[in-house]
Amino acid sequence: MSIKTKTIFVTIAGRANAGKSSLLNALVGEKIAAVSDKPQTTRTKITGVLTKGETQFVFMDTPGMHKARNKLSEHMINTVSETLSGVDVIILMCDCTRKISDNEKNLIESFKNGRSKVILALNKIDLIEKEKVIEKLAEYSSLYDFEEVVPISVKENDGLDIIMKILEDNAAEGPHYFPDDKFTDQPEKVIMAEIIREKALLNLNEEVPHGVAVTIEQLEEREDRTGTPILDITATIFCERESHKGIIIGKGGSMLRKIGQDARADLEEFFRIKVNLQCWVKVKEGWRNREGMIKNFGLS
């Protein structure tokens, strides 16, 4: 008797900094999405795949909802709209420590026109009292009839098993669309670029990160004298102003070295190979408003 496979497609949506990428990484069990406390860390749809037994879970992380301020922002908002349609379940990721925003209300309003089941995941419950969590749950529930309401803490790994059980129960019979050992549809170069960009976001001040993009220029595997495999990676960090270039490089190259060191550690852990990383910095004035550049960076 053949085993019947099941599949479920899930979009994770919500405001910026609610913990969407952290949830994706936690559910998949691999760090495939950049995480930082800077708004708009996620710029495009990132797909994570988890296959458990006969069930394949396909998760799509989306940019945080925000007001469009440039062409890149417009692409990001369009990505959210496109990723919400045609999925089995939407996880609305909310931060229980913050007031409900107009962007969240608009997002919730858009659910009323769709056919997807919507789960409310109220994140960061480890940061406030239980009574406040209950109040926040009631506040969100007054706006929409959610399929399920789950208080969680991604940081404490609290409640994620409940979300997985709900998703398992909603999975439908169907083929697996990805190989069972695959955990993302992102090409290696995109993952590498995201790891480097994340380290730039974590190390740089508020002004600079939004205008940073990373491309992988060269990628080559070789062996050192002892026969140990080494991955040579050459990356370019693009910024929008000459003054930003100076900040990214830092005094005597100190900031660029720090970004490179932090990125190399994650790259070695992710790809399980020794990494030789070379980072360069270039200026592309106003690239976030230039369609050609946005397309070149794979963000359209």
Side-chain angles (χ1 to χ4, degrees):
M1 183 176 127
S2 61
I3 297 173
K4 291 180 179 177
T5 57
K6 296 192 293 182
T7 303
I8 184 165
F9 283 80
V10 183
T11 289
I12 304 171
R15 73 195 298 170
N17 292 114
K20 298 183 298 299
S21 297
S22 296
L23 179 65
L24 173 74
N25 293 338
L27 294 179
V28 174
E30 293 281 351
K31 187 171 180 180
I32 54 176
V35 176
S36 86
D37 59 0
K38 307 285 196 305
Q40 300 167 39
T41 297
T42 301
R43 287 174 168 170
T44 186
K45 182 186 78 173
I46 297 174
T47 303
V49 182
L50 174 66
T51 305
K52 290 180 73 176
E54 72 272 17
T55 306
Q56 185 167 89
F57 305 83
V58 182
F59 300 98
M60 285 163 283
D61 184 21
T62 58
M65 290 301 292
H66 61 282
K67 290 181 181 178
R69 292 185 173 87
N70 49 51
K71 290 187 186 299
L72 176 61
S73 288
E74 290 170 12
H75 281 293
M76 289 163 67
I77 291 167
N78 289 338
T79 295
V80 178
S81 300
E82 290 164 7
T83 312
L84 288 173
S85 63
V87 294
D88 303 302
V89 171
I90 296 167
I91 296 176
L92 175 63
M93 193 74 169
C94 300
D95 179 346
C96 68
T97 67
R98 299 164 75 186
K99 290 182 179 179
I100 299 176
S101 68
D102 289 340
N103 284 329
E104 282 181 300
K105 289 177 181 175
N106 293 336
L107 185 59
I108 290 169
E109 195 62 33
S110 74
F111 297 157
K112 296 173 183 176
N113 302 320
R115 297 180 180 177
S116 305
K117 293 179 179 178
V118 185
I119 298 168
L120 172 67
L122 193 63
N123 191 26
K124 306 185 184 180
I125 60 168
D126 54 306
L127 300 180
I128 64 172
E129 302 84 13
K130 190 174 181 180
E131 293 75 20
K132 293 275 180 66
V133 172
I134 293 168
E135 286 174 17
K136 193 64 75 172
L137 287 171
E139 202 177 340
Y140 277 103
S141 296
S142 69
L143 299 175
Y144 189 82
D145 184 17
F146 294 100
E147 187 77 16
E148 299 277 357
V149 175
V150 188
I152 67 169
S153 168
V154 177
K155 185 179 177 184
E156 302 294 331
N157 197 31
D158 184 5
L160 305 194
D161 55 335
I162 298 171
I163 287 179
M164 287 303 297
K165 177 69 170 64
I166 294 167
L167 297 178
E168 175 74 56
D169 291 344
N170 281 281
E173 193 176 311
H176 290 180
Y177 292 88
F178 297 90
D180 287 1
D181 60 350
K182 197 173 179 72
F183 49 82
T184 183
D185 67 341
Q186 300 294 297
E188 283 187 350
K189 284 188 175 183
V190 173
I191 294 172
M192 291 172 183
E194 282 295 279
I195 287 172
I196 297 165
R197 187 171 70 89
E198 180 194 67
K199 300 313 173 189
L201 287 171
L202 293 171
N203 280 290
L204 294 167
N205 62 33
E206 290 296 329
E207 181 188 6
V208 180
H210 299 303
V212 166
V214 179
T215 59
I216 304 300
E217 309 296 343
Q218 289 182 304
L219 184 61
E220 190 176 316
E221 190 174 331
R222 61 180 170 88
E223 291 184 356
D224 66 10
R225 292 174 184 174
T226 65
T228 304
I230 295 179
L231 198 58
D232 288 324
I233 303 172
T234 303
T236 301
I237 300 172
F238 290 91
C239 58
E240 289 187 300
R241 298 178 190 169
E242 199 66 40
S243 59
H244 290 175
K245 180 179 178 179
I247 293 169
I248 295 168
I249 293 172
K251 189 175 181 180
S254 57
M255 177 57 73
L256 190 59
R257 266 197 307 277
K258 179 72 166 63
I259 292 168
Q261 286 166 358
D262 291 354
R264 187 172 67 248
D266 270 24
L267 288 164
E268 289 183 340
E269 183 180 349
F270 188 92
F271 291 101
R272 294 173 176 83
I273 188 173
K274 191 175 179 182
V275 169
N276 172 40
L277 175 63
Q278 297 288 326
C279 292
W280 303 90
V281 185
K282 290 184 180 178
V283 178
K284 288 287 182 186
E285 294 273 353
W287 69 263
R288 284 181 293 172
N289 267 315
R290 294 163 62 182
E291 287 288 354
M293 292 303 301
I294 292 169
K295 188 175 181 180
N296 286 346
F297 294 144
L299 298 172
S300 62

